[in-house]
Amino acid sequence: MGLEDRDALRVLHAVFNEEAARDASSLIGRFYTRWFSLDVALRDMFPPDMAGQRAAFAHAMNWVYGELVAQRAQSPVAFLAQLGRDHRKYGVAPEHYETLRQALYATLRDELADAWTDTVDEAARQSLNLITGVMSGAADAEHGPAWWDGTVIEHLRVSRDLAVVRLQLDRPLHYHPGQYVNVAVPQCPRRWRYLTPAIPPDESGAIEFHVRAVPGGLVSTAIVGETQPGDRWRLSSPHGALQVDRDGGDVLMVAGSTGLAPLRSIVMDLARWGENPRVHMFFGGRYPCELYDLPTLWQIAAHNPWLSVSPVSEYTADPEWARDYPDVTPPRGLHVRQTGRLPEVVTRYGGWSDRQILICGGPAMVRATKAALIAKGAPPERIQHDPLSS
């Protein structure tokens, strides 16, 4: 049965689900070791520290196999095609996908050992053929640029660990509002990181990113603390399918910290239209001072009555260090700021079951908010978030 055998696919999915929930150093680490042994030249395409790469791969595979178990092939195929096109930036060739398939198959077989039945074997073969085939085929069919280069023109430190970075690309990058791109910065060669543009695509090549320094994150820390005007960045092709259906009913948006970026881009794009569904956005941070973009949201809401914004902070008052950064208090007009964690504040209003729901932020916040909304009655199929937040 292969790809139609849900029980066999569940066995494979469980392996990646466990990996995604921890540091991804065991199974995924053994996979990379085996893959690099098949082709030693591959190692030079990856960063020296593989922790981030392992975690990203584990989350991606967990999401893909989850979709296959649910018999939803369309989204994984689109996601894998985007990955294939994106991986051209590394110099990946067709033969690399074959060795990837071999290494991952052998690693899964060793991992599952006695649980490796004929039906699991068939599901593994067919699913890995699908994964590598779609990625390789999409890369081979793509004739557009493998990457876009740009120059940093502005770096704004808006909070202790938050920065807004604006670039001018050498040529425009076409993406849908809500999509994300892979970014490489000069401070961290070969360490790519996913960032989401905070503005819709611009024909002049202007682009903006909102970045929060993650503890232990070399790239995010370098972007927030070391980026300077004149730095040259490299961007890959866009990923993701986060979107609002303008004919699909009213919308709930939940943004945690810099998870605001994709939702801000979508809202700015919607503002081009005279009529839109009602959009209620909850924007959350730890402290009131970390609601860094409230003035912009106020400006958009002031001119677009379909948008309402509820600020949320986990703490009532700002810390002492807040005085070193810009005051983000907006003029009167937004909803009164509420105190609490986003999942609890959002679900105080019910399950939002009649809304299109978009959630963006850290993986833990996304999972908690999604679970809280489903527990309140929101249909899972109405909830959107990026695959890497699964």
Side-chain angles (χ1 to χ4, degrees), residues 250-254 279-282 308 310 343 345-357 373 376-379 382-383:
D250 292 340
V251 182
L252 168 67
M253 294 183 173
V254 184
V279 177
H280 194 115
M281 177 190 291
F282 289 86
S308 57
S310 292
V345 172
V346 172
T347 53
R348 285 176 197 164
Y349 296 86
W352 303 87
S353 60
D354 61 336
R355 304 293 179 105
Q356 302 178 66
I357 301 174
L373 285 166
K376 281 281 189 174
R382 298 275 285 176
I383 300 175

Side-chain angles (χ1 to χ4, degrees), residues 67-291:
E67 294 294 289
L68 293 178
V69 167
Q71 297 293 288
R72 294 190 294 261
Q74 185 174 355
S75 293
V77 167
F79 175 67
L80 291 166
Q82 287 179 329
L83 279 183
R85 290 189 290 268
D86 180 62
H87 275 56
R88 294 178 304 140
K89 69 179 183 290
Y90 297 118
V92 174
E95 58 268 22
H96 296 143
Y97 288 106
E98 175 56 25
T99 55
L100 182 152
R101 186 193 63 78
Q102 294 173 15
L104 193 51
Y105 172 83
T107 306
L108 284 169
R109 184 164 186 164
D110 287 349
E111 175 74 11
L112 288 168
D114 293 341
W116 191 267
T117 63
D118 289 343
T119 56
V120 171
D121 183 87
E122 183 64 18
R125 289 180 185 276
Q126 290 193 20
S127 59
L128 294 177
N129 285 342
L130 172 70
I131 290 167
T132 56
V134 169
M135 291 180 68
S136 179
D140 188 56
E142 179 59 53
H143 301 295
W147 60 75
W148 286 256
D149 290 330
T151 303
V152 174
I153 59 173
E154 194 170 17
H155 177 269
L156 304 174
R157 192 73 172 264
V158 295
S159 187
R160 185 171 61 173
D161 56 0
L162 293 168
V164 171
V165 184
R166 298 185 177 116
L167 296 95
Q168 180 63 48
L169 301 180
D170 297 346
R171 54 188 168 190
L173 170 62
H174 299 288
Y175 56 90
H176 297 295
Q179 287 190 303
Y180 53 92
V181 297
N182 229 351
V183 175
V185 301
Q187 291 83 2
C188 303
R190 290 186 294 148
R191 297 179 187 272
W192 293 81
R193 185 179 187 272
Y194 287 112
L195 297 177
T196 305
I199 60 173
D202 184 276
E203 288 300 322
S204 73
I207 197 165
E208 176 178 316
F209 297 104
H210 300 174
V211 184
R212 180 173 184 172
V214 178
L218 294 177
V219 177
S220 62
T221 300
I223 291 174
V224 172
E226 302 173 25
T227 295
Q228 297 181 0
D231 285 355
R232 295 283 289 174
W233 286 21
R234 176 161 289 181
L235 282 60
S236 74
S237 55
H239 296 252
L242 202 68
Q243 61 182 327
V244 166
D245 179 358
R246 292 183 60 247
D247 298 317
D250 292 340
V251 182
L252 168 67
M253 294 183 173
V254 184
S257 187
T258 52
L260 174 68
L263 304 182
R264 179 188 193 257
S265 179
I266 292 172
V267 164
M268 285 182 166
D269 187 62
L270 288 174
R272 299 183 301 120
W273 304 90
E275 295 184 9
N276 282 306
R278 290 181 302 162
V279 177
H280 194 115
M281 177 190 291
F282 289 86
F283 174 34
R286 292 171 299 184
Y287 302 102
C289 65
E290 292 186 327
L291 301 174

